Amino acid sequence: MEMSMASTTPCFSLPKKTFCISTPIFKKHLFGTTLPCCLSAKLPLKLNPIPTSIKCAVSEATQAPSEKKSQLMRRSDIRNIAIVAHVDHGKTTLVDSMLKQAKVFRDNQFVQERIMDSNDIERERGITILSKNTSITYKDTKINIIDTPGHSDFGGEVERILNMVEGVLLVVDSVEGPMPQTRFVLKKALEFGHAVVVVVNKIDRPSARPEFVVNSTFELFIELNATDEQCDFQVIYASGIKGKAGLSPENLGEDLGSLFEAVIRCIPGPKINKDGALQMLATNIEYEEHKGRIAIGRVHAGSLRRGMDVKICTSEDACRFGRVSELFVYEKFNRVPAETVEAGDICAVCGIDDIQIGETIADKSDGKPLPSIKVEEPTVKMSFSVNTSPFVGREGKYVTSRNLRDRLYRELERNLAMKVEDGETADTFIVSGRGTLHITILIENMRREGYEFMVGPPKVINKRVNDKLLEPFEIATVEVPEEHMGSVVELLGKRRGQMFDMQGLGSEGTTFLKYKIPTRGLLGLRNSILTASRGTAILNTVFESYEPWAGDISTRDLGSLVAFEDGTSTSYALMSSQDRGQLFIGPGVDVYKGQIVGIHQRSGDLALNVCKKKAATNVRSNKEVTEYIQEDELVEVTPSSIRMLKNPKSAKKTR
């Protein structure tokens, strides 16, 4: 595969060190009043143009002399990379172009957009939820690519995937620049010591501001205490949707050649112990009906063969034995059977039915476990319980507490960032996750699988340290048009948010707000902000830290409209009820006593008769249930319906 390359890359030198980075990254620092803290202002700077080929201090620095002492070597024929970014910055679209230009598909083959988003919910919502593997070949080098989620609620996927790779492509939007999740994924990558190639994506946007974006990214590296070698990152400017990349925003090549070259030269090959005892860390789990559980991970040492007897270890004291029945590697967009996999490559292993994420597949006699995978703690919890409504069993296939327990604990096998605990009663379970979206995706998957159950309102997970109550705080960024900024600022202020940054975004007339806000204040906030901004605001959040309790927060001022008898809703009853507030249901819908049928226009709950019968011609349209649930309310989830009801066990009464 031949790719086009740009011709020159300006660099500058410091004593004993050359920084090979595109010029815009240093314009502000060289010609402004200050230097970044990792570059001493006392050092004499000397600009000197050199012939360009992409050259990176990271790849050179990683060839440390200590590798010889520990008998480790690097494979030059493989690169393992993860593509990380904030949500909607174009990771999956960029992977599409990389696959097409690497001739993974036939010229006449139909390929859908965002091919890596294979899950139904991913395609419907337009987001990546699960990380996925693929590979391409460029100039005799195999590049294993892992596409990762961009939403902060799925950060656990990113954390464990970083165990499999030596470098990351950090994709940043050419207008928005580094966002909260950009900071999170970069922080994790730098902690692992990975090399980073920064890709300024969507460079063809009319309001693109590449110089600002690269400077902001450089400042983020400094802020996260990156090493000098990591600060010396290569910048590639790209348009993922057009499949073009280059070393300067004004001079893009006709393809992604610059990006592929940067991966080969700036991301080091895997460091391996070729002759050592087998070690492979199970980083991901998949399941197929005829193959059973499939463990995916990188072979760290030795080699793995089909039919090989192995030892599965969680710690040195807890090991069991198994056999590899089938072995696969990733080639292009498929899993291909292999007889042997050498250290450094990513593979899929079948035959070990009880393998778990974080366990090590090791040599039967001399194998030792690798360090287990650690992920951040959950911050939000919700209660799951069996369905006790009058309509129980009408629509679902799995309705018992045993069905619910089995499904929830099965989720833990691949979802490391989630926790499940038994509740106060035998039919209640407490599910903890990284955010409401994290748990919502589980609820939606269970609904589609035929489960019936009830969920309570989301609650934050607090901590008590030195007799002080701490709660989780998050960094919230809001992109909002100027005309709606006032109402959004007022809304965030009511929820104990503290603004620490505000800036305009280019020529698009939008304002970029940054807040530090308790996680409690974010519950139900997304819909309120959309209403206040007439659907134009974009809210993004990422966990920051635990801090002292911020005080009481009122997240909902309005009460609920509650049905006070069983029956079927009628047009006549709904017409007379619509003055009381906003209704969730239309005519001809079965309801039961205690079911929430709408939002009251005042505080406090109001009982309504929505089943009153009388002929009428005015028929209301259906309305969806929005994110709307109080402490004394539950959500009933079935494969066909989502209903809300007042919790029968709550002492609170409707008036």
Side-chain angles (χ1 to χ4, degrees), residues 564-580:
F564 74 79
E565 68 174 5
D566 301 348
T568 303
S569 61
T570 64
S571 303
Y572 172 70
L574 294 178
M575 185 172 62
S576 60
S577 301
Q578 63 187 352
D579 293 337
R580 304 290 189 177

Side-chain angles (χ1 to χ4, degrees), residues 359-530:
E359 293 184 329
T360 302
I361 299 174
D363 186 81
K364 187 176 180 181
S365 54
D366 301 325
K368 293 182 180 179
L370 290 161
S372 59
I373 299 171
K374 294 179 182 178
V375 297
E376 301 265 341
E377 291 293 310
T379 56
V380 176
K381 61 183 179 182
M382 292 175 74
S383 65
F384 284 54
S385 58
V386 295
N387 190 2
T388 56
S389 83
F391 293 168
V392 60
R394 280 194 186 186
E395 301 165 352
K397 184 177 177 184
Y398 307 107
V399 297
T400 66
S401 61
R402 190 188 68 184
N403 295 144
L404 187 59
R405 168 189 284 273
D406 291 347
R407 177 62 182 84
L408 290 176
Y409 279 96
R410 196 164 69 243
E411 182 69 18
L412 299 184
E413 293 177 358
R414 87 170 306 282
N415 203 332
L416 282 193
M418 193 168 276
K419 290 186 177 180
V420 177
E421 302 166 333
D422 292 340
E424 296 177 357
T425 61
D427 57 3
T428 304
F429 307 92
I430 307 300
V431 178
S432 306
R434 293 280 273 268
T436 50
L437 182 61
H438 190 197
I439 302 176
T440 302
I441 295 297
L442 169 64
I443 293 171
E444 179 62 16
N445 279 326
M446 291 175 64
R447 186 186 72 80
R448 295 183 183 207
E449 292 165 15
Y451 286 83
E452 261 192 36
F453 54 97
M454 287 183 167
V455 294
K459 299 177 182 177
V460 299
I461 299 173
N462 299 319
K463 290 181 178 179
R464 191 169 285 278
V465 179
N466 298 330
D467 290 332
K468 285 186 178 179
L469 183 62
L470 306 181
E471 66 172 330
F473 274 71
E474 304 197 23
I475 299 297
T477 61
V478 186
E479 197 178 320
V480 60
E482 289 178 11
E483 61 265 29
H484 301 302
M485 189 175 73
S487 53
V488 170
V489 167
E490 182 184 359
L491 195 58
L492 286 160
K494 285 181 180 177
R495 293 174 177 246
R496 305 277 180 175
Q498 296 179 338
M499 185 194 297
F500 63 89
D501 190 19
M502 179 175 73
Q503 53 186 267
L505 270 187
S507 59
E508 294 182 356
T510 56
T511 304
F512 190 66
L513 307 172
K514 280 190 179 181
Y515 275 82
K516 192 171 190 177
I517 185 170
T519 302
R520 282 182 303 136
L522 293 171
L523 301 178
L525 178 63
R526 197 173 302 272
N527 284 332
S528 301
I529 279 187
L530 285 173

Side-chain angles (χ1 to χ4, degrees), residues 120-365:
D120 286 343
I121 301 179
E122 289 180 324
R123 300 203 67 78
E124 289 168 18
R125 289 178 175 247
I127 60 173
T128 303
I129 297 170
L130 304 172
S131 56
K132 299 171 197 70
N133 296 57
T134 188
S135 81
I136 60 174
T137 302
Y138 175 74
K139 292 186 177 177
D140 300 324
T141 300
K142 180 181 181 181
I143 304 175
N144 286 310
I145 301 172
I146 306 172
D147 187 23
T148 63
H151 201 286
S152 58
D153 282 27
F154 310 115
E157 290 276 314
V158 180
E159 287 174 89
R160 58 189 174 81
I161 287 309
L162 291 175
N163 282 277
M164 274 204 284
V165 300
E166 286 74 41
V168 298
L169 294 187
L170 181 70
V171 181
V172 187
D173 188 284
S174 66
V175 175
E176 294 179 355
M179 296 287 278
Q181 182 66 359
T182 313
R183 180 190 178 90
F184 174 80
V185 294
L186 179 59
K187 177 171 177 266
K188 293 297 174 186
L190 295 176
E191 285 174 0
F192 275 90
H194 291 336
V196 181
V197 173
V198 175
V199 181
V200 180
N201 197 25
K202 305 185 183 180
I203 198 67
D204 51 342
R205 286 181 66 174
S207 53
R209 41 181 191 165
E211 187 172 329
F212 164 81
V213 169
V214 176
N215 279 321
S216 301
T217 306
F218 183 68
E219 288 168 3
L220 183 59
F221 271 75
I222 308 277
E223 207 177 308
L224 295 174
N225 297 319
T227 65
D228 286 354
E229 287 78 16
Q230 287 171 327
C231 284
D232 184 11
F233 56 82
Q234 176 68 47
V235 181
I236 299 293
Y237 302 91
S239 169
I241 199 162
K242 291 182 178 177
K244 295 181 177 183
L247 297 176
S248 70
E250 301 85 14
N251 186 23
L252 297 187
E254 291 302 312
D255 48 38
L256 295 173
S258 301
L259 179 59
F260 288 120
E261 287 290 340
V263 169
I264 299 297
R265 301 190 188 188
C266 299
I267 307 291
K271 188 161 56 173
I272 61 167
N273 185 353
K274 186 176 181 180
D275 301 320
L278 168 67
Q279 284 181 310
M280 172 188 156
L281 186 68
T283 311
N284 205 351
I285 295 288
E286 290 184 4
Y287 183 84
E288 284 189 12
E289 205 64 46
H290 58 289
K291 287 188 174 69
R293 291 171 74 80
I294 303 171
I296 300 169
R298 177 164 70 89
V299 180
H300 285 257
S303 59
L304 189 59
R305 298 185 305 279
R306 187 167 68 89
M308 185 179 184
D309 290 323
V310 294
K311 185 164 63 175
I312 300 96
C313 304
T314 49
S315 66
E316 294 207 22
D317 300 327
C319 293
R320 59 193 186 280
F321 296 97
R323 170 172 286 192
V324 177
S325 62
E326 290 185 82
L327 195 58
F328 298 88
V329 293
Y330 290 88
E331 283 187 14
K332 297 187 175 179
F333 203 63
N334 302 306
R335 279 203 300 257
V336 179
E339 289 295 320
T340 305
V341 177
E342 299 291 337
D345 207 352
I346 293 174
C347 65
V349 177
C350 303
I352 306 170
D353 294 333
D354 56 351
I355 185 79
Q356 302 285 344
I357 290 176
E359 293 184 329
T360 302
I361 299 174
D363 186 81
K364 187 176 180 181
S365 54

Side-chain angles (χ1 to χ4, degrees), residues 561 570-583 597-601 606-612 620:
L561 300 176
T570 64
S571 303
Y572 172 70
L574 294 178
M575 185 172 62
S576 60
S577 301
Q578 63 187 352
D579 293 337
R580 304 290 189 177
Q582 180 183 350
L583 296 171
V597 295
I599 304 173
H600 192 200
Q601 62 187 4
L606 180 67
L608 289 178
N609 184 357
V610 292
C611 304
K612 212 185 300 180
R620 288 185 57 82

